[in-house]
Amino acid sequence: MPTYTITELAREFDITARAIRFYEDQGLLSPSREGAGGRSRVYTPRDRTRLKLTLRGKRLGLSLSEIKSLVDMYETPKDTSAQMNRFLGVLAQHRQTLEQQREDIELSLAEITAHEDECKRLLAAQGEARPA
């Protein structure tokens, strides 16, 4: 079975070794230790997959606790329907959050546009309009 060093995983996934150690501290990865005093971390294909899923979850904007919950479910592949239903629930909640954020951003942009238009109108009325 192949193994990976922290440097190899960091290079493969374009992240820092510090980030990998952080994910380990959060319980997402559990490498074995080798060498003098157990200073060398040895990652298995399971750790590599968990790291890949963690980074995918981060790209989706999920919290580490959500990611850990989802990744841990894949440790018991007996009933994948429960895993998929949980994942769908997390995704639906995250979608709702993002859609609310998008609506808030659109409202803020509309307010900014209104303030810009008002400032330009006032400047033009004073004869001091600057080019945009």
Side-chain angles (χ1 to χ4, degrees):
M1 176 168 61
T3 59
Y4 308 91
T5 66
I6 196 168
T7 303
E8 290 170 333
L9 290 178
R11 189 174 299 126
E12 178 181 353
F13 292 105
D14 195 27
I15 59 174
T16 63
R18 182 178 179 187
I20 294 172
R21 287 190 298 273
F22 176 74
Y23 294 140
E24 182 182 337
D25 290 342
Q26 299 302 307
L28 289 158
L29 305 173
S30 54
S32 60
R33 303 290 186 132
E34 291 182 358
R39 292 179 46 90
S40 297
R41 291 170 167 85
V42 178
Y43 296 89
T44 63
R46 173 190 172 272
D47 291 311
R48 184 185 172 278
T49 299
R50 288 178 67 92
L51 178 58
K52 185 177 182 176
L53 292 172
T54 297
L55 296 173
R56 187 175 295 161
K58 290 299 293 175
R59 278 194 307 274
L60 287 172
L62 302 178
S63 71
L64 286 180
S65 62
E66 289 172 321
I67 293 168
K68 184 170 180 352
S69 170
L70 291 170
V71 170
D72 285 348
M73 285 191 320
Y74 286 95
E75 295 297 313
T76 57
K78 294 177 184 171
D79 182 13
T80 59
S81 62
Q83 296 164 354
M84 291 298 142
N85 283 324
R86 170 76 174 114
F87 189 46
L88 283 172
V90 168
L91 290 175
Q93 178 62 44
H94 192 62
R95 175 183 295 278
Q96 182 179 1
T97 300
L98 289 174
E99 287 175 353
Q100 181 62 55
Q101 288 173 344
R102 178 173 48 192
E103 184 178 317
D104 293 344
I105 289 169
E106 288 171 359
L107 288 171
S108 293
L109 288 172
E111 278 187 48
I112 289 171
T113 299
H115 288 300
E116 287 173 335
D117 291 346
E118 180 64 13
C119 287
K120 289 175 186 176
R121 186 189 66 73
L122 291 171
L123 285 171
Q126 294 175 3
E128 299 178 19
R130 294 183 290 155

